[in-house]
Amino acid sequence: MYTQALDSPAAGADEGSEERERLERFQARIDRDEKIEPKDWMPEAYRQTLIRQIAQHAHSEIVGMLPEGNWITRAPSLRRKAVLIAKVQDEGGHGMYLYSAAETLGVARGDLIEQLLSGRAKYSSIFNYPTLTWADIGAIGWLVDGAAIMNQVPLCRCSYGPYARAMVRICKEESFHQRQGYELMLTLARGSEAQHAMAQDALNRWWWPSLMMFGPNDAHSVHTAQSMRWKIKRFTNDELRQKFIDVTVPQAEYLGLTVPDPDLRWDQTSEHYRFGEIDWSEFQAVLKGEGPCNRERLEARRAAHENGRWVREAAVAYAAKHQAPAHRAQAGAGALS
Amino acid sequence: MSTAAEAGSAEVSRAERIEYLLRLADTSLVAGQRLGELLGHGPTLEEDLALGNISLDLIGQARLLLALAGRIEDKGRDEDALAFRRDAPQFRNMSLAEQPNEDFAATIVRQCLLDAWQLETYESLTGSREEALADIAHKAVKECRYHWRFSAGWLVRLGDGTEESHARVSAALGALWRFTDELLTPDALDAHMAVCGIGPAPGLIRERWDARVSAVLAEAKLQKPPHQHYPWHGKRGVHSEHLGHLLTEMQFLPRTYPGVTW
């Protein structure tokens, strides 16, 4: 006890300088663009930032299945139905890789899901908007997946290896979804008058929420600076938002649709589009749970979880019963072939 | 496949070929539509994705079969015209396929009983004299093998899982069993298709289906319900009330905005 007490200040000082050195070595690795892997030492704050971000991303994929899943049974052709099922399924797959990437940081998928269901974890606010017409499926693919790609392509170079690798695959699929969404919008925009109106209405409703997907202005973004030092984030919210607008406005023009922003104009000097003020009060309200579908989305996830409880329990009970003698498991496999 | 290939080459009309194809196509379409309701709501993420996969396969089968029926009919109806512009009495799916997703047990029992039938039917149809159908069957049978593994695997887990899961799956089995009569009892068209070398021999599917399903029920510790005669057959256009609602939802866009491209 005594020795320990005497030794502790000195040890603390050593630990302090050791800790500083570790941090410096860690930052140097990041600066050299080395990938950080699960077994490598990392600062606790880096770990926590990544867990928060990857989990939020995973939750967004899972909750994002709901607004689009809402149209699977009503897709207007069998080809569109198949494409939509495949897309929603891809999103579930993205959720799965991302939960796995988060698990490499020492959290359990079950705990992350618990945080989502209890309302403690966030997911992308865009999914709290309703899908009211078929054109919304096109608008989500074109705008929401388009905005997601802007955010996510830089994450393929993120300093944390498992996240970066998951993002490579996710981005490939997202870009495919974005093209499918645009093609759907093009079909509607060039279709009948009613279809064109449906497409315009969808753009009117999804444009501003899509811009909000990039998060608050840089001046108000809490996490940006540190995340950029750690190369978790490579561009600021405003940079990505601007890039999205610059790419998307000509696409809207090609569709013959009008972007619902009276202040939108091309600025020759900066070679960027200038755009109107985002309604940040709406952003904050949706973030706080007051969006049009926050309640429904969480309810749907909770219902799936609750209704599935007896199924999961049955699987566990069956596995426990059949764990022991190997020949019984083999007999079971035989009957299923 | 021995049975169909060895059969004679009796005359078969265009209308009979179409009618027979619609039974297969509509069964896949309606079953795929039912599973499509569940995506995003499964008991685990893995099951969600598996059910989505099966739904996608079934819609894919329906597309190929409907397109083939449309080509044989030669009146300009494509897969979508057949899927979205027919009313319930014109649908020829097995009534089992349209039964609702009351809970995961009902979904699994429906799929399991149907998967066993589809697997045996497509296995047999790989030797069909209707060559385009045989080609589709070659593709479908691979998918059906996976569907069966999934649904039979879950039937066993639920049957031999907890008291609750056993009770739920037993109840679903009891409720859905009457619809298996239609799968296994050939009618005049089924018999004629067999004679023409297009469809499986009468009795073959019953025998193989029964062996397959009985083995899994035994493993799942589930009592096989007694045979129930149930002559209201969807394959002849006599459906349960559920199909009308399913089609109302599925067909609403093409019916609200007729004549446009999606």
Side-chain angles (χ1 to χ4, degrees):
Chain A
M1 273 289 262
Y2 175 74
T3 318
Q4 215 174 356
L6 257 188
D7 286 346
S8 62
D14 279 353
E15 271 170 22
S17 64
E18 224 173 81
E19 181 75 8
R20 264 197 307 281
E21 275 170 32
R22 271 176 149 183
L23 275 172
E24 277 163 21
R25 280 200 303 274
F26 178 80
Q27 189 60 51
R29 289 189 65 192
I30 298 234
D31 295 342
R32 288 194 301 271
D33 274 334
E34 279 180 30
K35 288 279 178 270
I36 308 301
E37 297 298 336
K39 287 182 178 164
D40 296 348
W41 182 86
M42 62 187 82
E44 196 48 31
Y46 177 85
R47 184 187 299 277
Q48 290 309 325
T49 300
L50 275 167
I51 290 175
R52 182 181 52 81
Q53 182 172 332
I54 300 173
Q56 260 184 34
H57 189 169
H59 298 329
S60 301
E61 298 282 358
I62 301 305
V63 176
M65 295 169 80
L66 298 170
E68 291 181 279
N70 184 35
W71 280 88
I72 287 175
T73 57
R74 293 177 290 168
S77 75
L78 294 184
R79 181 176 77 88
R80 294 286 184 201
K81 192 188 291 291
V83 166
L84 184 56
I85 293 171
K87 180 179 186 226
V88 175
Q89 214 193 7
D90 281 350
E91 279 152 14
H94 298 171
M96 219 142 65
Y97 321 141
L98 288 163
Y99 283 127
S100 301
E103 284 189 317
T104 65
L105 292 157
V107 283
R109 177 165 126 187
D111 293 337
L112 296 176
I113 289 174
E114 204 50 57
Q115 288 169 15
L116 171 70
L117 299 180
S118 68
R120 275 176 294 146
K122 294 264 180 276
Y123 57 86
S124 180
S125 278
I126 194 80
F127 300 119
N128 291 318
Y129 288 86
T131 48
L132 301 178
T133 74
W134 173 247
D136 291 17
I137 298 307
I140 289 183
W142 171 37
L143 299 173
V144 175
D145 291 333
I149 291 166
M150 288 292 166
N151 266 324
Q152 292 171 5
V153 166
L155 289 173
C156 299
R157 295 189 293 127
C158 160
S159 59
Y160 187 58
Y163 192 25
R165 288 188 289 273
M167 290 317 301
V168 171
R169 181 158 174 189
I170 290 174
C171 282
K172 278 185 194 156
E173 293 180 350
E174 291 294 359
S175 100
F176 189 59
H177 296 164
Q178 202 259 352
R179 286 200 297 275
Q180 285 171 336
Y182 191 71
E183 188 265 334
L184 197 164
M185 288 301 270
L186 191 62
T187 307
L188 294 178
R190 297 196 173 164
S192 69
E193 208 174 304
Q195 286 176 306
H196 185 92
M198 199 187 275
Q200 180 63 56
D201 168 64
L203 174 58
N204 293 349
R205 285 181 290 108
W206 290 93
W207 176 255
W208 291 106
S210 299
L211 299 191
M212 294 176 200
M213 281 177 72
F214 296 93
N217 287 331
D218 294 348
H220 301 107
S221 178
V222 193
H223 304 292
T224 296
Q226 181 60 68
S227 284
M228 289 188 72
R229 266 195 300 282
W230 277 333
K231 294 190 183 170
I232 294 173
K233 203 166 173 169
R234 299 264 179 172
F235 300 98
T236 71
N237 295 352
D238 286 333
E239 284 168 348
L240 290 168
R241 187 169 11 246
Q242 183 65 58
K243 199 169 166 198
F244 173 74
I245 292 170
D246 289 346
V247 167
T248 309
V249 171
Q251 293 173 349
E253 284 167 2
Y254 185 77
L255 292 174
L257 300 177
T258 309
V259 173
D261 178 358
D263 298 324
L264 187 76
R265 61 182 174 80
W266 176 250
D267 176 24
Q268 197 62 54
T269 329
S270 65
E271 298 203 318
H272 288 299
Y273 283 93
R274 294 286 160 233
F275 54 99
E277 188 57 31
I278 291 171
D279 180 359
W280 293 111
S281 65
E282 176 176 322
F283 175 78
Q284 292 301 340
V286 180
L287 205 61
K288 269 200 324 210
E290 295 162 7
C293 296
N294 295 59
R295 184 180 295 267
E296 287 82 354
R297 300 296 182 238
L298 264 191
E299 280 307 312
R301 287 314 313 158
R302 284 179 191 143
H305 194 73
E306 282 309 311
N307 296 337
R309 189 180 298 281
W310 68 270
V311 179
R312 297 189 299 275
E313 284 168 359
V316 170
Y318 178 83
K321 282 186 211 176
H322 294 266
Q323 227 166 17
H327 68 272
R328 279 168 70 196
Q330 263 173 0
L336 300 183
S337 59
Chain B
M1 214 274 309
S2 53
T3 48
E6 284 167 5
S9 52
E11 284 301 306
V12 58
S13 72
R14 184 191 296 234
E16 287 166 335
R17 290 162 73 203
I18 295 168
E19 184 81 0
Y20 186 67
L21 283 170
L22 288 179
R23 290 182 176 186
L24 300 166
D26 291 345
T27 299
S28 289
L29 175 57
V30 168
Q33 173 78 2
R34 272 286 179 243
L35 289 180
E37 295 169 5
L38 296 175
L39 203 45
H41 307 278
T44 71
L45 194 44
E46 284 77 0
E47 268 43 70
D48 233 353
L49 298 190
L51 290 171
N53 235 335
I54 295 169
S55 171
L56 197 54
D57 287 343
L58 292 169
I59 300 293
Q61 291 166 8
R63 293 182 64 190
L64 294 171
L65 291 161
L66 288 174
L68 176 59
R71 284 200 301 279
I72 293 173
E73 186 188 49
D74 199 22
K75 285 184 182 165
R77 289 204 289 181
D78 62 6
E79 59 182 55
D80 288 330
L82 287 167
F84 294 96
R85 310 290 292 175
R86 282 181 299 151
D87 199 355
Q90 281 96 51
F91 268 73
R92 292 290 180 266
N93 60 283
M94 305 292 152
S95 298
L96 179 61
E98 72 208 31
Q99 300 311 308
N101 299 307
E102 300 284 5
D103 65 359
F104 189 71
T107 300
I108 288 300
V109 170
R110 183 190 69 220
Q111 288 311 120
C112 194
L113 301 176
L114 200 61
D115 291 341
W117 177 80
Q118 284 194 317
L119 176 50
E120 296 302 345
T121 301
Y122 285 117
E123 184 86 59
S124 167
L125 288 173
T126 56
S128 174
R129 217 187 76 195
E130 180 89 60
E131 279 178 25
L133 174 58
D135 289 345
I136 296 171
H138 274 289
K139 177 177 182 293
V141 76
K142 291 182 203 138
E143 296 166 345
C144 293
R145 266 189 214 116
Y146 158 74
H147 302 170
W148 165 254
R149 282 185 73 88
F150 177 83
S151 62
W154 270 108
L155 193 80
V156 170
R157 269 180 230 124
L158 297 181
D160 190 17
T162 62
E163 216 171 290
E164 181 181 7
S165 69
H166 183 85
R168 281 178 183 261
V169 82
S170 298
L173 196 62
L176 294 173
W177 192 257
R178 61 195 163 131
F179 298 110
T180 61
D181 186 40
E182 175 182 15
L183 304 178
L184 307 176
T185 308
D187 65 1
L189 179 65
D190 293 320
H192 185 56
M193 285 295 131
V195 171
C196 296
I198 293 178
L204 178 82
I205 301 297
R206 179 185 288 276
E207 189 189 317
R208 292 187 177 172
W209 183 93
D210 193 57
R212 187 174 277 283
V213 170
S214 298
V216 161
L217 288 178
E219 198 189 343
K221 302 186 174 154
L222 290 165
Q223 198 72 40
K224 188 169 156 185
H227 175 259
Q228 200 180 335
H229 180 57
Y230 188 82
W232 297 278
H233 288 179
K235 66 183 174 186
R236 291 199 295 276
V238 185
H239 292 278
S240 59
E241 288 179 344
H242 301 296
L243 184 66
H245 295 282
L246 179 143
L247 295 180
T248 302
E249 189 172 345
M250 185 177 92
Q251 297 177 335
F252 118 83
L253 272 173
R255 288 193 180 279
T256 309
Y257 303 92
V260 301
T261 304
W262 296 98

